[in-house]
Every structure is written in C-alpha cells, then in structure tokens.
C-alpha cells in the first residue's frame, strides 16, 4: 500500500522567484486609521449609500417616464406643457431633497467627533501614535468623500430628470430652492457646509444629543439665510420701453421678474400701481408724462453662474470651518 502524497497549496511568487505572502496578492483594502474610521461609522455610511442608490434609481425611472409622457404630447415640437402628475412629483421630490443637507449635518456631522469625545474614544486614539491632525483628517476626509459622492449623484439624477422641462416655469421655477438648490454644485456645497458645521458644533459641545439639536437649528438658519440671498447671486438685467404703458416689454422665456415700474419722459420711475389711483390711464399718462415701462429681471441663462458663485462662497466658508477644526484640534481635542 502506497503512502498518500501530501499536497501543498501553490503560493504565488514574485518576479525574483521569492514567495509572495498571501496578503500581497489581495486587492486594495482599508487599513490602519482608514479602516478604523470606516468600521466605526460604517452603518451610517452604508445607509447613506443604499438610500442614495435607491433614490437615484427612482429618479432615473422618473426621467424615463417623463420622456415617454412628453413624447406622447409632441415634445420637443410642442411649446405647450401638458398638465399632468409630473409637476406634483417634481415639487414633492424637491422638498424631500431639500432636507438632505439638514439630515446630513444632524446625523453625520454632529456625532462624528461628539460621539468619540463623549464616550472616551478620542482619549484612546490620542494615547496611540496617531496624531490628532491625522485623526481629524481621516474623519473629515472619509465622511466628506461619502457625502460628496452621494449628494453629487442625487444632484445629477434630479438635474437630468428636470432638464427637459427646466424652461417651463409652471413645472418648477428655476430660481426657487426646489430647483436651484437641488441641481448643479449647490447640493454638494450646502451639504458640506452643514456637515462641517455639525462637526465643529460636536467638537465644541462634546455631547452627541445636544450637538445634534444645535446642529439642526444651525442647518435651518443656513437654509433661511441662503434662500434670502439666493437671488443676489445674479446680475439683474433691466429692459425699458417707450411705446406707452399698454406695450409691456417682452421678457425672455422663464425669466424671473424682479421689479417693474412706469417710466416718464425724463427718466423718472413710478410704482407699477400708480395709474390705479387715477381716473383713467390717459389721465395718468398726461399727469406723469409716462412713456413706457422699466422692468428688472433675471434670465435663466444666469442660473449656472449663480449656482457656481454661491457654491464657491459656501466652499470658502467650509474651508474656513475646517481650518478652525484643525487649529482647535491641535490645541485641545480630548
């Protein structure tokens, strides 16, 4: 009876003939601090990835459904937007997407450092060979990267859905937050600023729950201030007429009218309701020597420039907050 031969697994070799370790042949994997931070927050990161994937898939489906609907009504040859359910869908979805920066700031930004400072993990990290700067950079880097990927994907998907009807103000006004804040770079910029705002609040308060509450208030204030100054990002265009008050100027399609006023022969302007207090338009024209209208508006062609300008301001503010986090972290992180 012959003895069975022993089989040994074939190990890969390097070009010089030496055996390579099994770990050397594996694909890229997280290790060290990157692995620690990912494992610590993996539940939140994976939840965000899955929610984003499902939402993007649904938005892609809605775009396909919209194109079928428009094609059935003669799009793009028809200038008339057919009334239907899509307007309501755009509004509901845009409202939901508008809450994303707030949710990211509260549930991702606020606990990022506050949780470690509260439960003592930060002290454990500080006792190791890892510097506070590297720990903060890894925390912010991984969290920020996940946030950018998800919000950018949502922005692109929503923008492609809204794109075919963006010139129809009856569907979704381009200057409103429903469209302006959910397309282009704005969602990423708003989410990043709210996220780092939550991080710095958690660093200062050092308690998770109270940090989340304060971050919620901070995020709401950011949204209110942003909506108040949104239209100031553009350059107002003025058009005047001199063919009488019955000849109102023709504005570009989807233009947002900012203000209108009556204009006299001398160039003086009067409120658009001036003639309502007079006996007749003829009497009003003679009394104030009116010759036409002066209208201020923002064209939709400025939308992209306004978005990038506003996003640049938010990115600059985000950078300033990040710099404060690192300065504060070097002095006192535990």
């Amino acid at each position: 009876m012959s003895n069975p031969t022993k089989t040994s697994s074939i190990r890969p070799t390097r070009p010089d003939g030496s055996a390579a370790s099994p770990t050397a042949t594996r694909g890229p994997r997280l290790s060290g601090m990157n692995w620690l931070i990912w494992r610590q927050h993996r539940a939140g990161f994976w939840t965000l990835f899955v929610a984003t994937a499902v939402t993007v898939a649904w938005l892609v489906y809605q775009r396909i459904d919209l194109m079928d609907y428009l094609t059935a009504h003669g799009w793009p040859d028809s200038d008339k937007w057919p009334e239907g359910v899509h307007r309501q869908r755009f509004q509901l979805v845009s409202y939901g997407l508008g809450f994303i920066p707030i949710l990211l700031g509260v549930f991702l930004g606020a606990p990022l450092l506050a949780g470690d400072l509260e439960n003592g993990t930060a002290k454990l990290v500080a006792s190791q060979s890892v510097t506070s700067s590297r720990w903060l950079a890894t925390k912010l880097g991984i969290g920020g990267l996940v946030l950018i990927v998800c919000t950018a994907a949502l922005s692109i998907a929503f923008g492609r859905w809204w794109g075919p009807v963006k010139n129809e103000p009856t569907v979704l006004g381009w200057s409103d937050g429903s469209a302006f804040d959910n397309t282009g770079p704005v969602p990423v910029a708003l989410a990043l600023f709210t996220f780092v705002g939550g991080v710095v609040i958690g660093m200062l308060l050092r308690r998770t729950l109270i940090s989340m509450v304060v971050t919620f208030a901070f995020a709401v204030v950011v949204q209110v201030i942003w909506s108040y100054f949104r239209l100031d990002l553009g350059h107002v265009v003025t058009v005047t007429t001199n063919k009488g008050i019955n000849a109102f100027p023709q504005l570009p399609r989807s233009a947002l009218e900012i203000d209108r006023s009556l204009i006299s022969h001398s160039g003086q302007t009067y409120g658009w309701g001036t003639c309502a207090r007079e006996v007749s338009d003829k009497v009003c024209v003679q009394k104030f020597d009116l010759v036409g209208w002066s209208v201020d508006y923002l064209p939709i062609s400025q939308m992209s420039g306004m978005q990038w300008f506003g996003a640049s301001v938010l990115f600059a503010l985000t950078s300033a907050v990040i710099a404060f986090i690192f300065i504060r972290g070097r002095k006192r992180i535990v």
Side-chain angles (χ1 to χ4, degrees):
M1 183 175 180
S2 59
N3 293 329
T5 58
K6 295 181 179 180
T7 60
S8 60
S9 59
I10 301 177
R11 298 180 64 182
T13 59
R14 297 189 179 93
D16 60 1
S18 60
S21 62
T23 57
T25 61
R26 295 177 183 174
R29 300 182 64 181
L30 294 176
S31 61
M33 182 59 65
N34 294 330
W35 175 87
L36 176 63
I37 300 303
W38 175 265
R39 184 172 179 81
Q40 185 181 14
H41 301 284
R42 66 187 184 280
F45 292 156
W46 279 118
T47 300
L48 187 56
F49 278 135
V50 172
T52 300
V54 172
T55 305
V56 168
W58 188 82
L59 291 174
V60 170
Y61 170 78
Q62 290 302 317
R63 186 183 192 280
I64 296 174
D65 187 42
L66 174 65
M67 294 307 299
D68 292 340
Y69 183 68
L70 292 176
T71 302
H73 288 79
W75 186 89
D77 297 329
S78 176
D79 292 333
K80 182 180 179 181
W81 164 253
E83 296 291 339
V85 69
H86 281 275
R87 178 172 60 183
Q88 299 176 357
R89 295 182 192 177
F90 276 118
Q91 293 174 347
L92 291 175
V93 173
S94 64
Y95 291 154
L97 293 178
F99 283 101
I100 290 180
I102 299 177
L103 295 176
L104 291 175
V106 172
F107 293 101
L108 184 61
L112 195 71
L113 296 183
D116 290 347
L117 294 171
E118 184 177 13
N119 58 32
T121 305
K123 292 183 179 180
L124 177 62
V125 173
S127 64
Q128 307 300 315
S129 59
V130 179
T131 64
S132 60
S133 296
R134 182 184 173 191
W135 180 61
L136 290 172
T138 307
K139 280 266 190 178
L140 293 173
I142 295 179
L145 180 61
V146 171
L147 182 147
I148 290 173
V149 169
C150 293
T151 52
L154 291 173
S155 174
I156 294 172
F158 184 80
R160 283 185 55 80
W161 179 28
W162 177 61
V165 293
K166 66 182 301 181
N167 289 316
E168 296 291 341
T170 58
V171 179
L172 209 62
W174 68 268
S175 60
D176 298 333
S178 302
F180 193 92
D181 296 348
N182 292 320
T183 57
V186 176
V188 179
L190 277 173
L192 270 178
F193 182 61
T194 308
F195 166 71
V196 298
V199 172
V200 76
I201 290 172
M203 171 186 281
L204 297 176
L205 298 182
R206 308 169 73 86
R207 294 293 184 271
T208 303
L209 184 58
I210 187 63
S211 297
M212 294 174 69
V213 174
V214 175
T215 299
F216 176 79
F218 165 76
V220 171
V221 171
V222 169
Q223 293 283 347
V224 172
I225 295 176
W226 173 258
S227 63
Y228 183 79
F229 289 103
R230 185 188 300 115
L231 296 182
D232 294 334
L233 299 172
H235 175 68
V236 176
V237 179
T238 302
V239 59
T240 59
T241 62
N242 57 1
K243 298 181 180 180
I245 64 174
N246 293 323
F248 194 79
Q250 185 70 28
L251 301 182
R253 187 177 183 183
S254 300
L256 174 67
E257 183 178 321
I258 304 297
D259 191 19
R260 67 170 67 179
S261 56
L262 293 164
I263 186 171
S264 67
H265 189 272
S266 62
Q268 184 176 355
T269 58
Y270 299 90
W272 60 270
T274 299
C275 291
R277 297 187 294 268
E278 301 297 330
V279 177
S280 65
D281 289 346
K282 184 177 181 180
V283 173
C284 182
V285 169
Q286 294 176 349
K287 180 178 179 180
F288 297 99
D289 191 22
L290 301 178
V291 296
W293 290 92
S294 175
V295 181
D296 298 334
Y297 69 93
L298 287 173
I300 192 175
S301 59
Q302 292 191 19
M303 179 180 179
S304 179
M306 292 169 63
Q307 286 181 315
W308 279 105
F309 178 50
S312 299
V313 174
L314 290 173
F315 286 143
L317 293 174
T318 299
S319 300
V321 175
I322 292 175
F324 172 79
I325 292 175
F326 278 95
I327 294 174
R328 172 79 176 185
R330 287 183 178 181
K331 293 182 178 179
R332 184 174 180 268
I333 192 61
V334 295

